[in-house]
Amino acid sequence: MVSRKSFLTALLSVTTAAAAGLASCPGYKASSVQHTSNGLTASLTLAGDACNVYGTDLKDLTLTVEYQTAERLHVIIQDADQQVYQVPESVLPRPSNNGCSFSASHLEFHHKANPFSFSILRKSSGEVLFDSSAAPLIFEDQYLRLRTSLPDSPSVYGLGEHTDPFMLNTTNYTRTIWNRDAYGTPPGTNLYGDHPVYFDHRNADGTHAVFLLNSNGMDIKIDNANGQYLEYNTLGGVLDFYFVAGPSPVEVAQQYSEVVGHSAMFPYWGLGFHQCRYGMQDIYEVAGVVYNYSVANIPLETMWTDIDYMYLRRVFTLDPVRFPLHKVRELVNYLHEHQQHYIVMVDPAMAYQTEGYAPFTNGVAANAFLKEANGSIYKGVVWPGVTEFPDWFAPGTQDYWNGEFDSFFDPDTGVDIDALWIDMNEASNFCNWPCKNPFEEAITMGDPPRPPPVRIGSPIELESPSRPGFPSDLQPKCHAQITFSVRAKTFLGENIAVLGNTMTLGKNDIWNAPVLNADNYPVWTGTIDMPANKKLSYQYIRLEPDGSYVYEAENHTITTGDCGSSQSVKDKITTKSPPHGSSSKKRDLGAPATLQPQVRQTSGSGDMLGLPGRNLINPPYHIQNEAGSLSNKTIDTDIVHYNGLVEYDTHNLYGAMMSEASRQAMLSRRPTLRPLVITRSTFAGSGRQVGHWLGDNNADWDHYRFSIAGMLAFGSLFQVPMVGSDVCGFGGVTNAHLCARWAMLGAFSPFYRNHETLGSPPHEFYRWPLVAEAARNAIEIRYKLLDYIYTAMYDQSVTGVPLVQPMFFKYPKDSSCNAIEYQYFWGPGLMVAPVTGDNSTSVQIYLPDDIFYDYYTHEAVQGNGSRISKDVPYTSIPLYYKGGNIFAERASSANTTTELRKQNFAIIIAPDVDGAASGSLYLDDGASIEQAATSYIHFSYSKNGKFKMTGSFGYQADVNIESVTVLGSSSTSSAKTQLAVSMEHAIPLTGPFSMDL
C-alpha cells in the first residue's frame, strides 16, 4: 500500500521532472517566409532535439498570418500535414477574409526566426498586445504550450465558463476549460461552457481581445512569476488565434461577434418572466403555480416543466398518471388562451429501452447514437437509468431529432410547447469512469428515481375572479384519504412501498407504488388519495437497494369512505428483509442491442481527424478538471464519432451541437417563428442559436453576486445575450430577503426565470409577501422598459453591440471601473447598481464623472468619480438613466407581453452635460423570422429643446407616444415634463416628427 506521503513525493518528482523537461524544449525556427498581399506564410521546424515531455513533438509546422479586416488579424500554427484535429467549420463557420492590406490594418504582426516567436502590436501606438517570446513554443501530439507576456497588473476578462471574479485574478491563477456537469457552480473550477477568449483592457491604450479557436481541454495559466504572463496548455488541436484591435471595449465586442457570429434574435415574449421548479408532483401542481401567480397579481409569461413530466425520466414521454396527455394539453391550451406560454426540458441522454420506446428504436434505425468500436451502442447512466447518447456528427441524427420533435410536440396531438430547454448536454453521465457495467451502476444510483405518489385531482380550486376557466380535469376530484402505517424493520437502503389495485397505489405497477416515509421508524407511514366508496386490495413491498423487491404473500383489503373522508390503517408486514443482495424479482432493463459496426474514417494526410496513437483516456498532461479524469462523469473520450472524430477532441462541442440540432428541430415544427432555446452547455458562437442560463447555482448571497459577473461575461464578452441565473437559487434553501433582492436583480438580466431543485421548500415569488411585492415592482419596471431592451437585443443581433455592458465598457478611461463587477448597464443607458451585501439595506454606488438621473425620482445626480451611499429597501433596486440617452418606455405595464404591446409609449429624455440626447426604438411583430415590416426609429434632442423622430416606419404598432419627459438640465436638478398633446392627439409612430420642448 502506497502512503499519502510517498504518493505526494512521487507526484512532486514527476512534476519537477516535467518542469525540467519543458525548460529543455528547443522551440521552432522559421524558414521559407513568404509575404502575401494580406499576410505571410512560413515553415516552422523543430529547432533542436525533441523534448517529448507530454507526448511526441511534431517536427514540421506551418504558420499562416492573415490581415482579414482592418481590426482583425488571424494567426494559425498547425501541423504541416494537417492531420491534427481542428474545430470543424460545420460547428463554427469561419469569418470571411476580406483581404485587408498590411497598410490598412490597425495591427502589426512581427516574428523572430530562431527560436520562433511572434508579437502583435497596435500600429497607432506601438503597444505590444501579444508576445509569445516569453517561453518556447511546444507543439506535441497531446500537448501544446504557448505563453504571452502581459503588462503589470493587467485587467483581463473572459476565459469562461466560471464563477470567478469578472476581472480575472492574475497571480497563480489557472482557468481550466473542459465542459462538465457542475452542480453548485463552485468558483475556481471548470463549469459548463467553453469560451477561450479574453479581453485585455488597458486604460491608456485601449482594449483588444484574443480568441483561441480550439475545443480541446486546456489549462490557461495567468501568473506574475518572472514577469506577468498568460499561458495556454492544451491537450491537442492547433493554435488558431484571432486578434481584434478595438480599441474601445464595445468595438472589441463587435469585432469578436464577427468572428463567432452575431447573436440570434429571440421572440419578444421570451423577455417576459418565466417560472420553473424541479420536483413538481404532477400536472395539478404545475397548474397550481400558474393559478397562484394569477391570484398574487404577479405577471407570469411562461410556465416551465422540468423532467418531472417524463415517464421514468425518458425523453419524449409523458408520465401517463401524473402528466397524462389530455390534462397537459388542457393546461397548455389554458396558458395559450391567456396569452401565456409553456416550455419543457429535453435532455440528450436517451433511455436504453428496447421494448416499447420509439425514441430508442427510431434512433437505432437512424444510426443516430454513439457507438463502441465493436458497433454496439455506447451506454452511460443518466436520469432514465441506462442511456445512450446522440451522435450529432452522424448524418441521420438531425432528421431523427426533427422527427421526435415533430411527433411529441405536435400542436394537434402532442405537447404544444412554445420554446425549448436543454440540459445535461456537457454531456453529463452519472457513471464513474470506467463505467464497466452501466446496468448495475444504474441500480446502485437508483436511476430512474421512483416517481412521487399519484393524486386524485388538484388539492386546490383553480378558479379566481380574475382568471376563471381552469379546465375541470385540473380541479379537485371526489376522493377519500387513507393513512397507511406499517411496522417494518429494514436495513440501510431498503424501503417500504404500498402496492394496490387502484391508480394511487400503482395499479399493480411496482414503479408507481408510493414509498412510505420512515419519520417514525420502525413505523412507515403515508397518507394517500383513494377513490371514494371502493373496496380495494393492497400489499406492502420491500424495495431493495439492488433494484429487486419482495412481495407480501397475501393482500390486505379495505373499503374507503365518502368524498373528503379520511381513515387510518395499522398493519404489520409479513415479510422479512432478505440477505443483502438477494431478490425475488429483478426489474427488466432491456436486452443489449448489437449493431453492425459503422464505417469509420481513418486519419490520413489533410483530414484533420486527429493524430493516431494518442492516449485518449489518460493523456500525459493532466488538466485541472474538477471531475478528475477526462472521461469521468461524461462520455468516454476514446469514443469515435461517425465521421471519425474522437470525443477527446470534440467533447466541448457536444452541448453546442445539441443546441444547433434542437434549434433546427424547433424550426422544423414552426419554420416561420424565431425559436427560443435555452441551453446549459455552450461553445464559442453558441449565441448564434441559443440562450444560456447560468446553471445549477445555490440559494446564497455568493451565487446572487456570481449571477451578475456571469451575465456580464456571456452577454458582453461571449456574445450570448439571452442569459440569466436561476433566480432565488437552484440548490439549497432560500429566504425572503435573498429572494426579494434576487427578484429585483433578475429583472435586469436578459433572461428572467425563477427556478429551484426538488427537495427544498418551494420559492415561487408569491410565497412571501415581501418577495411578492418586490416581484411586482421589478416586473412592472422591466415590462415598461421591455421595448428598450428588445431594441438593444436587436442591435446586438445586427451589430454585436452588447445588450448588457460592464462599467468599463462605458468608461474605458476610468481605471476605477476596471474591477467593478456588481454595477452594469442594461441596454445603452440604464445603470443598474444592486445591493450586494448579505442581508444589507444599503449600497455604495460608484458614479463616474458624468451626469445621471435617478430612475424613480428623476433627480439629476452629477458623478465625480466617487461613491455615494444609498439606503435601499428589499422591494427596490437602484437604477439611473445615463445622461445623453433617450428611452422609449411603455406608459403602463401589463400582465402579459401581448397586452404590453398594446400600451402607448412614454419618451424619457436624459440630457448629457451639454443638453443633448439620442436613442432608438425597434419595432416588429415580435415573433417572425422573416418580418413583413419593421420600424427603426431614431430619437434626438438638442440643447435648444428640439425633439426629433426620424428613421424607418414600416411596422404599424397601432400605439402612440402619449408623453415626452425631459429630465433636469445642465443648470438644475429638477425635472420638467412636457406632454406632447392630449391623448387623442398623441404622436403616432408612423412617420418623422419634430417639436420644440
Side-chain angles (χ1 to χ4, degrees):
M1 181 176 183
V2 179
S3 69
R4 175 176 175 81
K5 183 177 181 181
S6 62
F7 171 76
L8 291 175
T9 301
L11 180 60
L12 179 61
S13 176
V14 171
T15 303
T16 303
L22 292 175
S24 68
C25 290
Y28 289 79
K29 59 183 177 181
S31 62
S32 303
V33 178
Q34 299 291 322
H35 290 273
T36 66
S37 60
N38 66 324
L40 63 86
T41 63
S43 298
L44 303 180
T45 307
L46 200 63
D49 295 335
C51 54
N52 297 334
V53 177
Y54 294 119
T56 302
D57 288 85
L58 274 64
K59 181 180 179 182
D60 296 310
L61 309 175
T62 61
L63 165 72
T64 304
V65 178
E66 299 173 319
Y67 292 98
Q68 294 189 334
T69 70
E71 298 83 16
R72 184 174 74 239
L73 176 62
H74 180 216
V75 177
I76 182 169
I77 300 172
Q78 58 190 319
D79 59 307
D81 293 333
Q82 294 190 357
Q83 285 184 275
V84 171
Y85 161 78
Q86 298 189 31
V87 175
E89 290 215 32
S90 61
V91 178
L92 185 64
R94 305 306 194 260
S96 59
N97 181 359
N98 295 339
C100 175
S101 66
F102 169 78
S103 60
S105 176
H106 298 166
L107 298 173
E108 288 186 25
F109 175 89
H110 294 272
H111 78 279
K112 296 178 182 178
N114 190 12
F116 167 76
S117 67
F118 71 92
S119 58
I120 309 296
L121 281 67
R122 187 183 300 281
K123 188 180 292 184
S124 61
S125 64
E127 178 86 1
V128 177
L129 307 183
F130 193 92
D131 183 359
S132 73
S133 65
L137 167 66
I138 300 174
F139 200 120
E140 298 178 346
D141 60 346
Q142 292 199 256
Y143 176 73
L144 281 67
R145 186 194 70 179
L146 185 138
R147 177 183 294 187
T148 179
S149 57
L150 291 173
D152 293 337
S153 301
S155 297
V156 178
Y157 313 81
L159 303 178
E161 180 178 8
H162 58 77
T163 48
D164 297 340
F166 181 60
M167 190 173 81
L168 300 177
N169 179 19
T170 55
T171 303
N172 194 27
Y173 178 71
T174 299
R175 168 69 6 250
T176 298
I177 296 180
W178 182 255
N179 296 354
R180 74 178 182 98
D181 182 345
Y183 185 86
T185 63
T189 69
N190 49 309
L191 302 183
Y192 311 101
D194 180 354
H195 297 271
V197 59
Y198 71 86
F199 283 42
D200 183 344
H201 176 60
R202 306 179 186 183
N203 296 98
D205 193 59
T207 309
H208 69 278
V210 180
F211 172 48
L212 173 59
L213 177 50
N214 181 305
S215 66
N216 286 84
M218 66 181 73
D219 286 337
I220 302 173
K221 300 179 180 182
I222 308 177
D223 201 1
N224 58 4
N226 300 316
Q228 188 73 59
Y229 67 85
L230 181 148
E231 179 182 278
Y232 298 93
N233 299 264
T234 84
L235 295 178
V238 300
L239 296 170
D240 191 355
F241 285 104
Y242 290 87
F243 300 90
V244 295
S248 75
V250 169
E251 288 171 316
V252 171
Q254 291 181 278
Q255 292 154 17
Y256 179 65
S257 75
E258 294 170 358
V259 177
V260 297
H262 290 313
S263 56
M265 188 64 183
F266 295 102
Y268 184 94
W269 64 262
L271 292 170
F273 169 64
H274 304 261
Q275 175 63 53
C276 187
R277 173 156 45 90
Y278 176 31
M280 292 284 196
Q281 185 170 350
D282 48 33
I283 190 64
Y284 306 124
E285 188 166 10
V286 179
V289 170
V290 174
Y291 164 78
N292 283 320
Y293 268 103
S294 176
V295 170
N297 195 30
I298 301 173
L300 174 65
E301 185 71 19
T302 308
M303 189 67 208
W304 297 45
T305 306
D306 210 308
I307 57 176
D308 308 299
Y309 76 90
M310 301 176 187
Y311 174 63
L312 299 181
R313 304 294 194 257
R314 297 174 187 171
V315 181
F316 304 123
T317 67
L318 286 173
D319 186 312
V321 292
R322 296 165 188 83
F323 289 85
L325 177 61
H326 71 283
K327 294 184 181 181
V328 173
R329 286 181 56 81
E330 285 179 338
L331 177 61
V332 174
N333 289 339
Y334 173 86
L335 290 169
H336 289 168
E337 289 166 2
H338 290 81
Q339 303 171 344
Q340 295 169 292
H341 301 86
Y342 188 58
I343 296 176
V344 300
M345 176 184 283
V346 170
D347 290 341
M350 312 290 291
Y352 189 81
Q353 187 68 27
T354 60
E355 298 295 332
Y357 181 46
F360 174 80
T361 55
N362 292 344
V364 171
N367 208 18
F369 299 133
L370 290 171
K371 297 174 189 162
E372 303 275 8
N374 64 4
S376 64
I377 289 177
Y378 169 77
K379 292 176 283 295
V381 178
V382 194
W383 294 118
V386 180
T387 57
E388 70 281 346
F389 300 84
D391 180 354
W392 306 113
F393 285 109
T397 303
Q398 186 67 64
D399 286 344
Y400 157 68
W401 205 240
N402 289 357
E404 298 305 317
F405 274 68
D406 292 345
S407 174
F408 185 69
F409 297 122
D410 186 284
D412 299 320
T413 61
V415 182
D416 188 16
I417 60 172
D418 299 286
L420 180 69
W421 178 23
I422 52 180
D423 189 17
M424 312 294 286
N425 54 336
E426 290 71 34
S428 178
N429 180 2
F430 296 162
C431 213
N432 292 307
W433 187 88
C435 187
K436 293 184 178 179
N437 192 329
F439 295 94
E440 288 186 1
E441 292 284 347
I443 292 171
T444 300
M445 295 177 185
D447 290 312
R450 299 193 66 80
V454 176
R455 298 189 291 184
I456 299 177
S458 172
I460 59 172
E461 294 279 355
L462 300 176
E463 293 284 355
S464 70
S466 62
R467 299 296 294 274
F470 263 92
S472 60
D473 275 345
L474 300 178
Q475 301 293 344
K477 302 293 183 183
C478 171
H479 68 275
Q481 283 191 332
I482 296 179
T483 299
F484 294 89
S485 298
V486 59
R487 181 174 292 273
K489 292 185 177 181
T490 59
F491 60 85
L492 184 64
E494 186 181 34
N495 289 287
I496 303 297
V498 57
L499 178 67
N501 63 350
T502 187
M503 179 178 66
T504 55
L505 296 181
K507 208 167 186 178
N508 297 320
D509 176 2
I510 189 66
W511 271 107
N512 286 314
V515 179
L516 303 181
N517 72 68
D519 291 346
N520 298 306
Y521 182 84
V523 177
W524 295 71
T525 60
T527 300
I528 299 171
D529 288 358
M530 306 287 278
N533 301 309
K534 296 288 185 180
K535 184 176 182 179
L536 304 171
S537 64
Y538 65 93
Q539 61 180 305
Y540 296 103
I541 309 295
R542 290 183 180 271
L543 306 177
E544 305 305 317
D546 66 354
S548 64
Y549 32 87
V550 181
Y551 293 95
E552 288 190 296
E554 297 181 2
N555 287 343
H556 306 265
T557 59
I558 190 171
T559 299
T560 62
D562 295 333
C563 295
S565 66
S566 59
Q567 62 192 105
S568 300
V569 296
K570 296 183 179 180
D571 295 314
K572 185 178 292 185
I573 199 165
T574 61
T575 59
K576 295 182 178 180
S577 298
H580 297 193
S582 68
S583 62
S584 58
K585 181 179 179 182
K586 288 281 188 181
R587 52 176 160 167
D588 179 17
L589 293 173
T594 300
L595 308 173
Q596 292 299 315
Q598 60 195 25
V599 176
R600 302 186 187 277
Q601 298 181 30
T602 58
S603 184
S605 179
D607 59 21
M608 300 180 187
L609 291 177
L611 294 170
R614 293 177 293 165
N615 185 336
L616 300 177
I617 295 295
N618 290 305
Y621 179 82
H622 298 282
I623 61 171
Q624 296 181 25
N625 176 25
E626 184 71 8
S629 68
L630 295 181
S631 297
N632 200 41
K633 301 295 187 180
T634 189
I635 297 167
D636 288 359
T637 47
D638 62 351
I639 290 296
V640 183
H641 290 268
Y642 182 93
N643 60 356
L645 293 175
V646 294
E647 187 67 10
Y648 175 93
D649 295 317
T650 62
H651 164 85
N652 284 342
L653 304 178
Y654 195 89
M657 295 188 71
M658 182 189 179
S659 297
E660 181 171 6
S662 299
R663 178 182 172 87
Q664 293 303 315
M666 291 296 287
L667 285 169
S668 175
R669 290 179 65 244
R670 294 176 172 175
T672 64
L673 299 182
R674 297 173 187 152
L676 171 61
V677 180
I678 301 295
T679 183
R680 192 167 76 178
S681 183
T682 57
F683 183 71
S686 285
R688 294 179 293 117
Q689 296 133 348
V690 295
H692 170 65
W693 98 100
L694 295 170
D696 296 340
N697 61 3
N698 287 330
D700 57 43
W701 289 99
D702 281 341
H703 281 83
Y704 166 86
R705 290 183 284 266
F706 294 161
S707 72
I708 304 172
M711 173 189 66
L712 291 178
F714 274 87
S716 63
L717 308 181
F718 305 153
Q719 289 291 327
V720 186
M722 192 64 165
V723 60
S725 68
D726 281 347
V727 170
C728 297
F730 179 72
V733 180
T734 196
N735 60 73
H737 286 166
L738 173 61
C739 199
R741 283 282 183 234
W742 218 328
M744 298 301 306
L745 174 64
F748 297 94
S749 61
F751 175 57
Y752 184 26
R753 182 185 69 170
N754 180 319
H755 181 43
E756 70 172 312
T757 189
L758 80 173
S760 297
H763 63 45
E764 288 86 6
F765 288 156
Y766 54 75
R767 294 187 181 272
W768 299 272
L770 179 71
V771 180
E773 182 184 353
R776 283 189 288 267
N777 292 346
I779 295 172
E780 179 180 13
I781 299 170
R782 178 184 177 90
Y783 278 20
K784 286 182 177 179
L785 289 163
L786 211 64
D787 291 85
Y788 158 78
I789 209 67
Y790 185 70
T791 301
M793 177 174 283
Y794 172 77
D795 286 342
Q796 186 161 2
S797 74
V798 174
T799 69
V801 173
L803 185 161
V804 292
Q805 296 182 25
M807 292 290 289
F808 83 88
F809 270 46
K810 290 293 185 183
Y811 301 97
K813 300 296 184 182
D814 185 347
S815 60
S816 296
C817 290
N818 291 8
I820 294 178
E821 61 180 345
Y822 299 148
Q823 276 179 232
Y824 60 94
F825 281 87
W826 198 57
L830 187 74
M831 188 173 73
V832 184
V835 177
T836 54
D838 297 13
N839 298 302
S840 177
T841 55
S842 66
V843 63
Q844 294 287 315
I845 301 171
Y846 180 76
L847 293 178
D849 185 8
D850 204 347
I851 189 168
F852 299 89
Y853 302 86
D854 186 284
Y855 173 85
Y856 304 95
T857 68
H858 290 179
E859 178 185 2
V861 182
Q862 179 63 54
N864 60 5
S866 62
R867 292 185 178 273
I868 63 170
S869 180
K870 191 173 184 68
D871 294 328
V872 185
Y874 283 99
T875 54
S876 185
I877 186 171
L879 303 171
Y880 293 88
Y881 297 116
K882 181 182 182 299
N885 288 275
I886 296 178
F887 301 80
E889 304 180 9
R890 296 286 177 172
S892 300
S893 184
N895 275 330
T896 66
T897 60
T898 299
E899 291 302 311
L900 182 67
R901 290 171 62 87
K902 300 175 184 177
Q903 308 303 309
N904 282 332
F905 282 96
I907 300 299
I908 305 295
I909 300 174
D912 61 18
V913 292
D914 295 322
S918 63
S920 57
L921 173 64
Y922 172 73
L923 298 170
D924 65 9
D925 70 17
S928 300
I929 294 174
E930 298 293 334
Q931 292 288 329
T934 64
S935 293
Y936 198 96
I937 302 169
H938 299 278
F939 304 105
S940 64
Y941 177 77
S942 59
K943 61 182 180 181
N944 61 6
K946 175 73 74 175
F947 171 72
K948 289 185 178 181
M949 185 170 71
T950 60
S952 62
F953 299 87
Y955 181 73
Q956 300 302 306
D958 297 325
V959 295
N960 302 308
I961 296 172
E962 67 177 51
S963 67
V964 179
T965 302
V966 183
L967 306 182
S969 69
S970 60
S971 60
T972 177
S973 62
S974 63
K976 58 179 181 179
T977 300
Q978 170 77 50
L979 290 178
V981 278
S982 59
M983 279 293 297
E984 60 267 25
H985 299 103
I987 304 169
L989 293 168
T990 55
F993 177 85
S994 66
M995 65 184 298
D996 293 319
L997 296 175

